Amino acid sequence: MTFTKKEFKIEFKERLQERFALSVSDASSKELYETLGKLVTSHYSGNWKNTRQGYLSEKQKQVFYFSIEFLPGRMLKSNLLNLGILDVVEEGLSDLGIDLEDLVQEEPDMALGNGGLGRLASCFMDSLASIGMPGNGNGIRYEYGLFKQRFVDGYQVELPDEWLNRGNIWEVRRESKAVNVHFGGKVDLIEEANGQLKPIYRGGYSIKAIPYDTGMTGFENDTVNTMRLWSAEVTQEDKAKFQNFEGRQELENLTSVLYPDDSNEQGRRFRLSQEYFFVSAGMQSIFNYYKTLKLPMIDMNKYIAIHINDTHPAMCVAELMRLLVDEENMSWEKAWDVTSKVMSYTNHTIMSEALEKWQSSLMKEVCPRIFQIIEEIDRRYVEEWQGVFDDDLIKRTRIIRHDQIHMAHLAIIGSHSVNGVAKLHSDLLKSVVLKDFYAIYPERFNNKTNGIAQRRWSQLSNPMLSKTLDEYIGKSWRKDTTNLRLLLNHQDNNKLLSDLEQTKFENKKKLAAYIKEHNDVTVSPNAIFDIQIKRLHAYKRQLMNLMHIIKLYLDLKENPELDITPRVFMFGAKAAPSYHFAKSVIKLINETANLINNDLDIQDKIKVVFLENYNVSLAELIIPAADVSEQISLASKEASGTSNMKFMLNGAITLATLDGANIEIRDAVGEENIAIFGLTESEVYRYYNEQNYNSADIYHNNPVINRVVNAFVDGTIPNCCMEGQEIFDSLITYNDEFFVLRDFMSYCDAQAWIDASYKDTKKWGKMSLNNIAHAGHFSADDTVRKYSEDIWQIEPIRKG
Ligand code: 26Q
């Protein structure tokens, strides 16, 4: 279904009148946005219905992607693009005197995630629909998304993200599909005549789970899949029942807030309840769907695949067992066979503190039947392998150990596939993190390197670059980004190189204007825009970036005539509210920015900007304007990274360690088009094995490092005595966990290479072109195709 510009204008005006009794000139941006939103949803609602009915009538195998986070950002433009009406609408609105961008700004970011993992889930939703795969999302509809970040006196302050305040035009509340999720109480097992154990529930309470569905439109293909997010509601009746229950307040607020920690935070009862809530609600709704197909339960794996995105939904394994054994009276053995064929699991982290564990006693309280089932899975696991593998191996890999439930173990034991998110990461899973499991189930392990929704990160966020590309290589890259390779035929086309440079310059001007408005700092678009945007984490080493900035500052103070290419260092990062170290780094960066930006000696050669409240929409403004992409985690720590892929697609040069997907980026663009530095993963592990890293030695023996580290404690950076001391201690007293000092000189060399290379405009332009040309490697469409073939065994939609 499509329309001409004329038809669009008529329909738009009619809808505006119908809904608000207004004409264009009287309407506010918000009213215009809502009108356009409704027009868009009505535009795809027919295909949404048809897609769902098609799956049903064809009984197609579908995947359900369980993720405790989704991070779609804004959806208006993405939907317009996918429906093939972006240009018509933009022009039509312009005829009416409306700037589409103004309406876009009215949409709050849907920020129901912390970072990479949630954004990946949303890129996958886009890609599943765009390649026409039967794929659904299942998650939580948090009333408050990730906190809004403000800086007060250089410190991070968190404010609630009230994204639903003004309504959400994309969601549909489906009261009729509500289910109850049972919490607490006691469960007795009674043996029945046939020997099966039947659970009898005593006490506890149910919480009503209401699904809110959002249509996920595919790119120009009539497919509209569903992302289903669950909201908890406690009825008046329930409230009366649990008057005295101490956790009642909590339960009422079960889906209020997203936990703002992207690792580390463990053991909170409330988080466990959130996990069981969306797992149980999602599994029940899949079960209800499957029953309408009237197929044998034992065949479920032929029609349903369930994906566990990190361990947060790992209870899916036990919940499916519960439904099959308790509700459908299937034997344990048969149910287990079905369950492990249905489930698959992705690991996103190697940081041991992020591996989820729960106290047995807590799980027993929150979901007693699930705890029993996990105990039984654990018991049978031990029984199965006793005598086959040695006892120590079994002990290390069993699910319950020292009264703790290891969620990754549950996910692996209950799945037929376990994958990492970049080649190096998947290798490390096999050789280090999940080595024991690799010995037991080698056939389950595989790699699926992450990818990005390339249409969003090029066509939508960088229309100027997109137009330039069209001019030289045609439009085929818009559907298939491997065609970006056609650019390689134009490497020596000076006109193209200068056009690319010009688009970058225009994007930098846009970002400079934003910075002027929000940070009141003037930055020149002629300077190198050097950018690090990601969660603030010690392993990501924003601190090393800061130390290099301090070094440049001290060098310039000593010799103001120093010839360096003007550079703007930019940061965007939220710190988990309880992550002390990360918050100190934010304060230090802000104070350093203040110091440098206001020091006349520096003559604008360097500027430092910390962009407040980094989110998906801000990323869409920042990435097109980047010259340098900072990907400087300690080798082996970043599972993959995905912003690295977005920067590359927008022509930034990657400055990176050989970590995560950076390695595959280097392989794609070639060594001459990337700046690599630092320890390799094997060198890092050698230090671990030999336990001979000593940061104090480096500090005492290297005068450059000595001077920079001292700047944290000698008053060079004003107003952060305490924070400076903490950082100093982390580096020297606590032996620099992430080898910042070890990699620092090598990082400075790489930065010097960037400085020199940028001066050679042609060389830089060619490097940039090469990065764009090879970015097709990292398309989420391809990644999802591989998941579909190798793991989920699903096929593109059959049109009935
Ligand atoms: C765990 C327990 C309790 C509370 C919170 C958590 C928690 C929440 C979020 C643990 C981890 C996360 C998120 C992890 C994440 O975003 N990982 C990133 O995943 C990306 C997509 O695969 C990778 O590109 C990144 O390298 C990885 O850091």
Side-chain angles (χ1 to χ4, degrees), residues 69 115-117 120 261-263 265 271 312 348 354 356 421 450 539-540 638-642:
E69 304 192 354
L117 169 138
L120 185 77
D261 307 271
D262 63 342
S263 60
E265 259 303 298
R271 167 89 177 181
H312 323 130
H348 293 266
E356 262 191 310
V421 290
N450 283 166
Y539 82 82
K540 295 178 190 276
E638 190 69 271
S640 159
T642 42

Side-chain angles (χ1 to χ4, degrees), residues 243-256:
Q243 211 109 60
N244 298 321
F245 180 64
E246 51 166 0
R248 194 193 102 199
Q249 194 71 30
E250 272 196 358
L251 289 167
E252 282 180 36
N253 298 330
L254 199 57
T255 49
S256 296

Side-chain angles (χ1 to χ4, degrees), residues 604-615:
D604 295 345
K605 281 186 176 163
I606 51 179
K607 286 268 162 99
V608 181
V609 175
F610 205 134
L611 293 149
E612 222 172 32
N613 200 37
Y614 174 60
N615 61 14

